[in-house]
């Protein structure tokens, strides 16, 4: 029994020893990698293009292998070149926008307005009433009675009428003033009064 317990204790001791040995070796390997290897190299520097000024030419040359230096700069103030730039005058053909005394540009007036003018509508009012028809009676002659009254002879087609002042002929025409040369007739259908002249070959009779 005692021998069995001693064997189990030895196995546990071996397992623990092996575990510690593995931890020691693994930790030493990681420490060796951290201290023995070189750090990660930094990224290469970016290429910056510089501009240098050449003396005399006044032009700028750009390049990746050039550096900006003060060797070619001329700090001298050239009054002659300054006067040349100040003496430049505006020589345009139109209005000088830098001068308050410049005359404004004359704009030609259009020949016709661009707006469409509405048509002028002349009020005509209501249409005139229709013209009444002409009276179809013909004045053929007259008759004078003993009491000095006058009767007119009127003809409408094949019909002959004899009427005095105030009488109605053919159920439509009213006889007005009777004269030797004319008679006044009123068309009752249209309320139209016309003077009918005596026709040729008219006769006058007495009774």
């Amino acid at each position: 029994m005692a021998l069995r317990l001693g064997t189990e204790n030895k196995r546990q001791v071996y397992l623990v020893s092996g575990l510690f040995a593995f931890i020691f070796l693994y930790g030493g390997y990681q420490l060796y990698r951290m201290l023995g290897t070189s750090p990660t190299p930094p990224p290469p520097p970016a290429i910056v293009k510089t501009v240098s000024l050449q003396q005399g030419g006044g032009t700028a040359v750009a390049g990746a292998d050039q550096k900006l230096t003060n060797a070619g700069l001329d700090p001298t103030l050239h009054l002659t070149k300054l006067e040349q730039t100040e003496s430049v005058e505006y020589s345009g053909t139109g209005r000088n926008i830098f001068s308050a005394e410049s005359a404004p540009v004359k704009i030609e007036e259009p020949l016709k307005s661009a707006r469409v003018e509405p048509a002028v509508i002349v009020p005509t009012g209501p249409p005139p009433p229709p013209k009444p028809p002409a009276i179809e009676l013909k004045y053929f002659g007259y008759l004078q009675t003993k009491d000095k009254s006058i009767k007119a002879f009127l003809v409408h087609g094949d019909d002959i009428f004899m009427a005095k002042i105030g009488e109605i002929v053919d159920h439509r025409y009213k006889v007005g003033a009777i004269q030797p040369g004319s008679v006044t007739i009123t068309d009752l259908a249209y309320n139209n009064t016309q003077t009918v002249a005596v026709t040729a070959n008219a006769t006058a009779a007495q009774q």
Side-chain angles (χ1 to χ4, degrees), residues 22-139:
F22 176 76
I23 295 174
F24 178 77
L25 292 176
Y26 184 75
Y29 176 72
Q30 295 295 333
L31 184 61
Y32 173 75
R33 289 185 59 186
M34 295 177 61
L35 298 179
T37 58
S38 62
T40 304
I47 299 175
V48 180
K49 294 183 179 181
T50 59
V51 180
S52 63
L53 300 177
Q54 295 181 357
Q55 183 177 2
T59 59
V61 180
D65 56 345
Q66 296 179 356
K67 296 182 180 179
L68 183 61
T69 61
N70 295 331
L73 297 179
D74 185 9
T76 306
L77 180 61
H78 299 277
L79 298 179
T80 304
K81 295 183 178 180
L82 184 61
E83 291 178 358
Q84 291 178 358
T85 57
E86 291 181 352
S87 61
V88 176
E89 296 181 357
Y90 178 77
S91 59
T93 57
R95 180 183 178 185
N96 187 359
I97 61 175
F98 301 102
S99 176
E101 299 177 356
S102 177
V105 179
K106 183 179 179 181
I107 302 176
E108 298 181 359
E109 297 182 357
L111 300 178
K112 187 177 181 181
S113 177
R115 297 181 179 179
V116 179
E117 299 180 356
V120 179
I121 301 176
V122 179
T124 57
K131 187 176 181 181
I135 296 176
E136 298 179 355
L137 293 177
K138 295 181 179 180
Y139 180 39

Side-chain angles (χ1 to χ4, degrees), residues 1-9:
M1 188 68 179
L3 181 61
R4 185 178 181 182
L5 293 174
T7 303
E8 292 179 356
N9 291 335

